[in-house]
Amino acid sequence: MAIDPTDVPRFAHGSRIPGWDESADLEKSPLEVPDPATTHVPDDLRAEIEAHVAKYPPDHSRSATIPALWAIQRRYGWCTPEGIEQAACVLRLTPAELSAVATFYDMLDTSPTERNRVYVCTNISCSLRGADELLETFREHAEGEPDVHVRGFECLGACDIAPMASVNGTYVGPLDADDVPTLLRQLRDGEEPLPEKQLARRPSADPKAREPQS
Amino acid sequence: MTDHLLFSNIDEPGLRTIDVYERRGGYGSLRKALATPREELIETLKGSGLRGRGGAGFPMGLKASFLPKGDMQKYVVVNADESEPGTFKDRELMQKNPHQLIEGIVIAAYAVDATISFIYIRGEYVHQADVLEAAIAEAYERGYLGENVLGSGFTLSLAVHRGAGAYICGEETGLLDSLEGKRGNPRLKPPFPANQGLFQGPTLINNVETLSTLPHIVELGSERYAEIGVQNSAGTKLISVSGQVRNPGNFEIELGMSSREIIFGLAGGTFEGREIKLWFPGGSSSPVLTKDDLDLPYDFDTMAKAGTMLGSGAIIVVDDSTSVVDVALKVATFYAHESCGKCTPCREGTSWTRKMLTRVKDGSATPMDLDIMASVQERIIGNCLCVLGDAMAMPIGSMIAKFRGEFEDHIERVRAEQERAILAGVSG
Ligand SMILES: Cc1cc2nc3c(=O)[nH]c(=O)nc-3n(C[C@H](O)[C@H](O)[C@H](O)COP(=O)(O)O)c2cc1C
Ligand code: SF4
Ligand code: FES
């Protein structure tokens, strides 16, 4: 059962506390650490989360919260209540502690989301080079695509290839309207997104960065 | 004197592998550092004049000297959250030369006697985090990380921690809470992280570029490094130039270069027939400058004297084809979205500013609203737990002050257009 934001008028005038109006599973107590005897956690998921825990000092397994939520999102497509329950069971935390974190961060989804995530940057440097129009084009073309989630995003740290997008984590740009249908087709066919426009292959803009210095 | 240290031949094929990095003399500075007493190393860092590259410009060596001496567990945390709009330099550094950063981390950790370190990287940087993880594995294998580094008796662990999308996790105490597995809400300061940081232990937090510079300081020595740049702004700096310029990208400069030379010489200048209307000298949080300020030298003190800041070294150029109303609205929308919501002036102030600017844009505001908006900015500044609120208030305040006429004209024009449309509707 999701919380209906209109039932919580406190911030209805629009200011935002990340996650305050996002869904929570109100049918279960969020306050209890799940019982390992009754909570089924798939072995490989448990192993993955425990491997993350090992990166932090003993007694600080809570640091593995974001890595565990990433593991849940990769496995189930989004941070499902069952997934959160399982991660909480491994980390010995309450589900509330995990969903409080999940709702804080833009990349963790706490409601069902399409498998392919396309983040179109609409922050300042990209918008100065046509990002708002690009996002519109994406939205138009993606309409009816069953497996694509398009959303505007804050600065992705790639303003040098503005306007740009992150396609399942791969940065591509600069994009024009013609790239949009190509990219959506590539996603449908399981191909790499716009190989020739990937940031990873781009040389430095600094002319002197290409020559050895004495 | 060279003006290229961090970016020197950064496109060399295979540089991200340890073999190529070592062939270029990589990890030589670490050997040198490990053979130096800690106090002397900290003096070298202080003497270099290196100031933090993450935004606040705090002297790096001084910060390192604040950590208490003694047996307690200490930490080094690398701020690789890089989410200040317009900034993308750490991305290129990590992706193309990860070992330079790792070497800097080990040097810093040795200097402050920390044995556990983390790189907190924003979740969006998937590729860069993968590159770092591979490089860390190589460094462990060759004995630059782990127990008894290069036989010195010094031990250091290093792991990558991926964030999940929140600007506020770039603020150092928000970052620490996030790294501890909590919501990324900033903490009250003091205590500062140097005394109580990660897991309440003394913690050195520095930006990626700051730490990537350490191997060069150790190699050159503090005096030679301090000769690069200008007074109070030693060294080279990576500048991210973006927006309405022909050749956006990262450029390494000697601090004190003229701003015009960066924007026009390196980044290619504005498009055909366009003029600069305004520019942000240090990310979207910095008060804006205009075309009259282009001849200012680009360094910490000059920018501060001009009423703005060098910040993260991200220049965003806006030309005369763009309305200042749109720029202000973008900026306010971003901060309203990223406010963590903990303090009222920031949570409400950013959100109301966004709403007022929306009214300006659609013509329903009055010039008095501009005064109210300016006073809201003044009330945010200095009244928040962290400086995210200020980070919106300062640029918005500067835009209203410097472009008030354009805001008023915009309101007038939109209203006149709407009136004409209504009249046309009535008569037609
Ligand atoms: C809202 C906010 C966001 C910040 N974002 C970043 C960031 O993305 N990267 C960064 O290095 N520093 C960022 N900082 C600055 C850090 O708080 C801190 O000053 C810096 O990491 C210290 O490292 P330095 O001394 O090497 O610059 C931010 C500060 C604030 C208030
Ligand atoms: S100033 Fe804003 S972002 Fe910073 S702690 Fe307060 S509410 Fe959070
Ligand atoms: S504004 Fe789009 S990546 Fe920075």
Side-chain angles (χ1 to χ4, degrees):
Chain A
M1 190 172 71
I3 296 174
D4 177 358
T6 53
D7 280 351
V8 192
R10 200 163 149 219
F11 297 112
H13 56 72
S15 54
R16 170 181 184 269
I17 295 182
W20 71 276
D21 55 353
E22 282 178 44
S23 63
D25 186 349
L26 297 183
E27 258 134 59
K28 285 207 184 82
S29 166
L31 293 177
E32 277 162 32
V33 177
D35 182 353
T38 56
T39 312
H40 171 70
V41 185
D43 287 342
D44 51 341
L45 181 65
R46 177 186 298 279
E48 189 179 350
I49 296 176
E50 281 172 352
H52 285 301
V53 169
K55 290 194 295 197
Y56 305 94
D59 302 330
H60 295 296
S61 56
R62 185 171 178 180
S63 280
T65 296
I66 293 179
L69 289 166
W70 276 125
I72 297 298
Q73 180 151 307
R74 270 193 299 274
R75 187 180 184 100
Y76 300 110
W78 56 287
C79 295
T80 60
E82 302 75 48
I84 285 187
E85 182 101 357
Q86 292 166 356
C89 180
V90 180
L91 292 174
R92 308 311 298 144
L93 294 170
T94 67
E97 284 167 320
L98 290 194
S99 49
V101 171
T103 55
F104 190 82
Y105 298 93
D106 284 342
M107 298 176 79
L108 296 170
D109 293 302
T110 47
S111 53
T113 305
E114 290 83 358
R115 192 169 47 92
N116 291 303
R117 289 175 172 84
V118 179
Y119 299 156
V120 182
C121 173
T122 54
N123 209 307
I124 179 133
S125 297
C126 284
S127 75
L128 289 169
R129 299 177 84 105
D132 297 287
E133 297 75 11
L134 180 71
L135 176 61
E136 266 319 297
T137 311
F138 259 108
R139 289 219 165 107
E140 279 160 24
H141 281 82
E143 200 152 311
E145 288 279 345
D147 236 2
V148 181
H149 176 69
V150 174
R151 69 189 267 203
F153 217 80
E154 298 304 356
C155 178
L156 285 156
C159 329
D160 45 345
I161 53 165
M164 57 80 61
S166 161
V167 181
N168 293 324
T170 302
Y171 280 23
V172 287
L175 300 179
D176 50 50
D178 294 342
D179 291 323
V180 174
T182 314
L183 204 142
L184 292 173
R185 183 197 57 73
Q186 287 165 332
L187 282 178
R188 230 178 291 131
D189 297 346
E191 291 171 20
E192 258 199 68
L194 302 173
E196 68 295 344
K197 289 206 173 183
Q198 288 184 7
L199 176 75
R201 307 186 185 188
R202 204 178 159 87
S204 180
D206 187 333
K208 284 203 197 156
R210 257 161 270 163
E211 51 199 57
Q213 293 264 315
S214 50
Chain B
M1 193 90 244
T2 174
D3 57 2
H4 272 62
L5 299 171
L6 296 166
F7 255 24
S8 157
N9 204 11
I10 198 162
D11 277 338
E12 180 173 356
L15 177 56
R16 71 177 63 151
T17 63
I18 202 159
D19 287 332
V20 175
Y21 187 70
E22 279 181 339
R23 193 173 346 112
R24 279 173 44 155
Y27 288 108
S29 295
L30 175 61
R31 284 175 208 279
K32 196 168 154 191
L34 290 173
T36 313
R38 292 203 158 89
E39 300 71 40
E40 204 181 310
L41 189 55
I42 292 207
E43 285 310 313
T44 303
L45 297 177
K46 274 190 187 165
S48 72
L50 174 65
R51 294 174 64 170
R53 304 307 197 211
F58 194 83
M60 190 275 160
L62 191 60
K63 184 148 79 175
S65 74
F66 287 160
L67 268 81
K69 319 277 173 285
D71 274 344
M72 70 288 262
Q73 178 66 57
K74 288 172 233 165
Y75 304 91
V76 169
V77 175
V78 185
N79 191 339
D81 192 60
E82 190 161 73
S83 34
E84 172 74 19
T87 317
F88 44 89
K89 64 194 175 64
D90 299 341
R91 182 204 80 211
E92 192 160 356
L93 271 181
M94 293 187 284
Q95 176 184 321
K96 295 185 173 172
N97 199 348
H99 285 289
Q100 177 173 256
L101 172 61
I102 296 171
E103 186 174 6
I105 297 169
V106 188
I107 294 172
Y110 168 73
V112 300
D113 198 14
T115 57
I116 299 179
S117 59
F118 292 101
I119 301 174
Y120 185 104
I121 186 168
R122 62 181 302 187
E124 293 88 342
Y125 283 173
V126 181
H127 175 56
Q128 291 72 17
D130 291 345
V131 168
L132 281 172
E133 278 177 349
I136 289 173
E138 286 180 320
Y140 265 106
E141 217 165 87
R142 300 263 163 112
Y144 299 121
L145 284 170
E147 266 170 51
N148 194 9
V149 173
L150 297 174
S152 65
F154 172 65
T155 293
L156 181 69
S157 74
L158 173 62
V160 174
H161 182 95
R162 298 175 198 230
Y167 170 61
I168 195 57
C169 293
E171 197 282 333
E172 54 189 15
T173 59
L175 183 152
L176 291 174
D177 263 31
S178 179
L179 182 49
E180 290 180 4
K182 302 170 193 156
R183 289 162 69 87
N185 291 318
R187 302 174 180 173
L188 188 66
K189 289 190 266 189
F192 288 95
N195 287 309
Q196 276 177 47
L198 186 63
F199 311 130
Q200 298 300 316
T203 304
L204 179 71
I205 304 188
N206 276 119
N207 170 261
V208 169
E209 185 188 347
T210 313
L211 291 172
S212 296
T213 307
L214 298 198
H216 301 285
I217 293 177
V218 171
E219 188 190 333
L220 293 172
S222 58
E223 268 159 45
R224 280 187 62 204
Y225 183 82
E227 279 166 21
I228 312 172
V230 293
Q231 208 191 358
N232 281 334
S233 294
T236 65
K237 171 93 190 75
L238 299 182
I239 312 297
S240 308
V241 191
S242 67
Q244 287 158 326
V245 288
R246 286 172 211 249
N247 180 28
N250 287 315
F251 305 95
E252 184 166 11
I253 62 150
E254 178 170 357
L255 281 165
M257 189 186 226
S258 113
S259 306
R260 185 185 298 278
E261 206 175 324
I262 301 172
I263 296 172
F264 285 86
L266 294 171
T270 47
F271 297 111
E272 190 69 37
R274 293 285 163 218
E275 256 192 51
I276 290 186
K277 175 181 278 185
L278 59 92
W279 53 291
F280 297 81
S284 73
S285 305
S286 57
V288 301
L289 295 173
T290 66
K291 63 175 187 299
D292 302 333
D293 304 307
L294 284 168
D295 289 313
L296 293 178
Y298 194 78
D299 62 68
F300 286 99
D301 286 3
T302 307
M303 288 301 137
K305 258 186 243 134
T308 181
M309 58 188 197
L310 187 135
S312 56
I315 295 180
I316 307 169
V317 176
V318 179
D319 73 23
D320 55 5
S321 68
T322 305
S323 160
V324 71
V325 178
D326 289 334
V327 176
L329 182 56
K330 269 288 167 204
V331 170
T333 305
F334 169 72
Y335 292 99
H337 177 79
E338 299 295 343
S339 169
C340 84
K342 196 164 170 173
C343 359
T344 314
C346 168
R347 182 188 65 236
E348 302 302 320
T350 52
S351 156
W352 282 98
T353 302
R354 173 176 53 79
K355 281 196 276 188
M356 281 188 277
L357 281 164
T358 310
R359 298 212 327 248
V360 169
K361 187 165 161 74
D362 69 21
S364 58
T366 67
M368 200 181 79
D369 284 327
L370 295 173
D371 293 325
I372 298 175
M373 200 154 67
S375 80
V376 167
Q377 310 314 313
E378 283 162 23
R379 277 155 220 218
I380 294 172
I381 292 174
N383 291 329
C384 299
L385 204 63
C386 81
V387 295
L388 185 142
D390 301 33
M392 178 203 72
M394 293 185 302
I396 297 287
S398 75
M399 278 184 261
I400 301 172
K402 292 186 180 174
F403 295 93
R404 189 174 172 110
E406 196 183 326
F407 280 99
E408 287 174 356
D409 292 350
H410 175 92
I411 297 172
E412 269 312 304
R413 202 186 59 248
V414 177
R415 185 168 314 157
E417 275 166 17
Q418 286 167 347
E419 265 166 30
R420 268 199 305 280
I422 292 168
L423 289 176
V426 170
S427 61

